Amino acid sequence: MNHADIIETIKDQGYFIIENLMPKDKLDACRGVLDPMFAGQRTGRNQFEGFKTQRIYSLPKYGPALWPFFNNEDVLKIIKPLLWGDCLITAALAANVLPGEQPQAFHVDDGFYPVPRPRAAFSVGAIWAMDDFTAENGATQLIPYSHLWGDDQHPEGVLGTFDAFQVKEPGKADGWATPENTRIVTAEMPRGSVLIFLGSLWHRAGGNVSDGARLGLFPQYCAAWARQQENFFLSVPKETVAKMPEDMQALLGYQIHPPFMGHAGGIHPTKTLNS
Ligand SMILES: O=C(O)CCC(=O)C(=O)O
C-alpha cells in the first residue's frame, strides 16, 4: 500500500499496521541499549503505567541507536499530513509489558487537549514492535472507528481516560475490564513492524498471559503548534541534541513553526545549541 492509501485507511478506521518496516540490525542496536536499562527498571506507579509494566521515557537522550525509531521517513510521511503538515515528538517512551500484567485501561492519547470531540486528532502514535506482538503477550488493543466518538461515548464499563492514573494499587478498579458489545482489534504483528494510530482512537496495552516480556517503543507525535507532553528541552541534554541530525532536532522542538512559534529570544532555537 502506498502512503496516501495508508493515510486514508487511518482517517477511516483510526489505525494501520506496516509489517516488518525496521531492519534487524537497527532493532538489535536499539535493544542493545534498552535491554540493560530495563534489567534494573522499576514497574509502573499506577494502573495506567501498569503495575507489571516497565517504562522508560525521553528515549532520544539515550543515543543514535534510538533515533531511527523517531525519524523514520515512511512513518513521518504518513503522520505529518494527518497533523496539519508538520509535527513534534510529544512523548518518547518504551513500554515493557511483563508476564502477569493486566490489560491497561482503555484511553485516548490526545484527551488532555480540551477541545470537544468528535474532532481531528491532535496527536498520532507509532508503536514499534521490539518483540513479536501477540494476543498472549500484551499486543496493543484498539477500538476501530472510536476516533469518531463524541465526548459522551466510552467503552462500556471501563475507567475514564485519566481515572487510571489515580488507581495506585493493583486490583482496586475495573479499568482493565473488557467491554461487552465493543469490537476490539488486537494489533498482532511481527518484531520490526509499526502500528500507527490516531491520538483520538481508544486503545490500551493488552494483558500478558505469556511467559515472556513484550517491548514496544512508542513515539507519539503532535501537531507542530501543540504543546508537547514531555519537556525535551529539560530531559534531553543540549550536548546530545547538538549531535543529532537536523530532523531529530526539529522533531524535539528545535524548530520554528511559521511564522515564529518556538523562537528562543528572537533567534532560531538550534542557534542556542552551541552556546
Ligand atoms: O504499550 C502499549 O501497547 C500501549 C501503551 C499506551 O497506550 C500508553 O501507555 O499510552
Side-chain angles (χ1 to χ4, degrees):
M1 232 191 221
N2 63 38
H3 295 131
D5 290 341
I6 295 175
I7 290 168
E8 286 315 305
T9 305
I10 294 174
K11 282 186 187 164
D12 176 42
Q13 64 181 20
Y15 70 96
F16 190 82
I17 293 172
I18 307 176
E19 291 203 348
N20 301 311
L21 187 61
M22 190 59 76
K24 184 178 177 315
D25 59 331
K26 292 205 164 62
L27 291 163
D28 290 346
C30 179
R31 290 215 60 146
V33 175
L34 289 182
D35 287 354
M37 290 168 65
F38 274 115
Q41 187 65 7
R42 62 170 170 73
T43 50
R45 296 161 288 191
N46 51 54
Q47 204 276 341
F48 185 86
E49 285 192 317
F51 295 111
K52 291 189 180 167
T53 297
Q54 300 168 304
R55 286 170 182 253
I56 298 176
Y57 298 98
S58 282
L59 291 180
K61 80 171 172 195
Y62 299 110
L66 282 292
W67 303 342
F69 295 83
F70 292 90
N71 65 357
N72 180 276
E73 208 180 323
D74 286 302
V75 169
L76 290 172
K77 276 188 182 153
I78 292 161
I79 287 183
K80 286 185 179 180
L82 291 167
L83 293 172
W84 292 265
D86 197 9
C87 64
L88 301 172
I89 299 168
T90 178
L93 63 141
N96 199 31
V97 180
L98 300 176
E101 178 63 293
Q102 302 266 4
Q104 192 184 26
F106 272 106
H107 60 279
V108 296
D109 287 336
D110 70 356
F112 42 73
Y113 297 111
V115 181
R117 291 171 60 112
R119 54 157 170 75
F122 296 148
S123 72
V124 181
I127 300 189
W128 291 94
M130 305 301 288
D131 292 301
D132 290 341
F133 269 33
T134 67
E136 290 73 36
N137 74 3
T140 312
Q141 297 187 316
L142 313 143
I143 303 178
Y145 303 98
S146 59
H147 60 299
L148 304 173
W149 291 359
D151 285 320
D152 53 348
Q153 269 174 291
H154 293 259
E156 214 174 284
V158 308
L159 294 173
T161 302
F162 297 118
D163 299 337
F165 287 104
Q166 308 308 327
V167 180
K168 308 283 188 198
E169 278 177 66
K172 290 282 162 139
D174 64 351
W176 44 79
T178 294
E180 288 170 16
N181 309 323
T182 302
R183 185 164 83 86
I184 295 171
V185 166
T186 301
E188 292 191 283
M189 52 183 173
R191 181 177 190 255
S193 307
V194 63
L195 161 68
I196 303 176
F197 62 101
L198 296 174
S200 49
L201 191 78
W202 286 83
H203 66 280
R204 67 180 177 184
N208 189 342
V209 295
S210 78
D211 54 11
R214 184 235 74 175
L215 181 60
L217 197 155
F218 188 7
Q220 293 173 35
Y221 304 87
C222 63
W225 43 259
R227 182 168 183 197
Q228 294 152 281
Q229 279 179 64
E230 290 195 51
N231 190 328
F232 297 114
F233 302 105
L234 294 177
S235 63
V236 184
K238 258 174 140 184
E239 303 72 47
T240 309
V241 178
K243 291 184 193 127
M244 289 179 178
E246 262 176 45
D247 61 345
M248 271 302 294
Q249 294 174 339
L251 285 167
L252 286 178
Y254 291 80
Q255 63 157 276
I256 296 289
H257 181 67
F260 41 65
M261 280 179 86
H263 73 81
I267 59 170
H268 194 283
T270 50
K271 293 199 174 133
T272 68
L273 288 173
N274 296 320
S275 59

